[in-house]
Amino acid sequence: MAEFKMFEGCMIGNRIPFIEASCRKVFDKLGIATSQAPFSCCPDPTGFANFDNDGWLAIGARNLALAESEGKDIISLCNGCSNTLKLVNHTLKHDNLKKDKINKELSKIGKEYKGTIDVKHFVSVLKDELEKIKSYTVKPLSGLKVACHPGCHYMRPSEVMETDDPMHPIDLKEIVAACGATVVDYGEETLCCGSSVSNAYEDHGMAILKKKMDAMKKAGADCLVVNCPACFQQFDGKQRDLSKKFEEEFKIPILYISELIALGMGIPADELGTKFHRTRVSDILEKIG
Amino acid sequence: MATDFEFRKQVLDMHMSGVIKYCYQCNRCTDNCPVAEVTDNAYNPRQNILNALLGFKDAIFSAEKIAIWGCTVCDTCDEVCPQSIELTEIFKLLKNHSVANGDAPDFYYLQAKTIFENAKAVPSQPAIERRREQLGLPTVAAPDINELTTLLKNMGIDKKLKGE
Ligand code: SF4
Ligand code: SF4
Ligand code: SF4
Ligand code: SF4
């Protein structure tokens, strides 16, 4: 496999870096090579894109140009980043007027967008390595009941993302199963976590989060697996507030899919920094021994 | 209600194919919208599409902020629309207008300012850099802030920021 440019994203890189730690360890095991580049913010497809569309296209195109200059595809650890970079790439490839307009701006800072590279979400890369994941799994996770939340921007809008079925996603489930754990269906897999609306309307975000958490709780999930730092923050960071707000206990541990794989590979939890989670991962660690 | 023809043209131009014209108000978008559900339709994507298509600029921008900013950008409406209308593209245009009018929720101005000044929505912090080191991670490759600020200034986007 050719080397990728690593796009860890600003939330993972500068706020919850333990997620990057598990991703890098899993990549190493599977032989996925990466290198760094001085990327800026992607920028946020639910924030900055709504602030100024052309500015969003220009910043995204500049990031793509950085990877293009080395002729390498991007691997993203975040739904938001892969959504932005794929949408920008798609828009500029299909709209020459926009492309010219953006390139005119980029030329003033000595950059050019060409449209020569691809962007991959790391889950799409991993789901092509299921056999390898199986063979490296030394610690059976059998009996662990895992709910999956791939998150909206992993697969939607499907026309551009071209990853998974937009309303019946399976990639994440397949990876969980490859680790030997049991996937539990809870019926709200494709519902958003409510993160984005929370930026302006916290109550509505909490109401959506509650609907998700209720369904998982009812299905008897031991933990929830995610593949986006914004989703992670919503589920991991807000569960305690949710319990308070609705006077009902929610305590489902949240794992990044890379953490679940790493635990199955026998990588010690200390090295993954699971102690930095807000929810209690120790219950899971006991369960898998 | 008055139609603003210039605004209507911008809406129609969003889709080169003009598919928004084919909205037949079936309500599938609103029926599947998680925010419409938890707000009793105070946020209503179908209504936004209708107002945008008719060019009812005032109805859109003089309503409560939530009428356009309640969207959680989950892109579900785009998937379920039987007419393949990319609703979120239209909503992006509405939100860009709202930002330019100075009417968006504070979060959007704050995030844009952070990106303008740091080239990242989440700037690097010493405590996290130490944690990265403890975890055996390389230092994040620093972005060229100056270059990004220049790019945004050239495009006049700094003028949309608040609280200078
Ligand atoms: S999507 Fe979010 S985390 Fe990723 S770079 Fe953009 S703002 Fe940062
Ligand atoms: S579930 Fe929420 S945070 Fe996650 S990708 Fe969707 S909108 Fe973003
Ligand atoms: S789902 Fe599509 S056609 Fe139906 S009301 Fe919404 S935008 Fe119009
Ligand atoms: S993208 Fe916005 S309008 Fe569409 S379903 Fe999601 S929250 Fe509703």
Side-chain angles (χ1 to χ4, degrees), chain A residues 59-84:
Chain A
I59 299 178
R62 182 182 166 279
N63 281 324
L64 292 165
L66 289 178
E68 285 175 357
S69 69
E70 293 186 51
K72 288 177 181 145
D73 289 344
I74 286 176
I75 191 165
S76 155
L77 309 185
C78 160
N79 285 8
C81 308
S82 69
N83 191 247
T84 280

Side-chain angles (χ1 to χ4, degrees), chain A residues 159-213:
Chain A
E159 234 184 88
V160 177
M161 299 312 284
E162 293 184 310
T163 47
D164 209 341
D165 185 299
M167 301 307 281
H168 301 96
I170 54 163
D171 291 356
L172 191 58
K173 291 183 183 180
E174 286 186 353
I175 299 174
V176 168
C179 297
T182 309
V183 175
V184 282
D185 290 320
Y186 59 100
E188 295 289 357
E189 275 80 0
T190 54
L191 178 63
C192 178
C193 66
S195 161
S196 178
V197 70
S198 296
N199 290 324
Y201 302 98
E202 173 86 27
D203 282 353
H204 302 328
M206 288 300 242
I208 296 171
L209 180 64
K210 169 124 186 342
K211 198 174 165 201
K212 287 252 6 167
M213 296 304 307

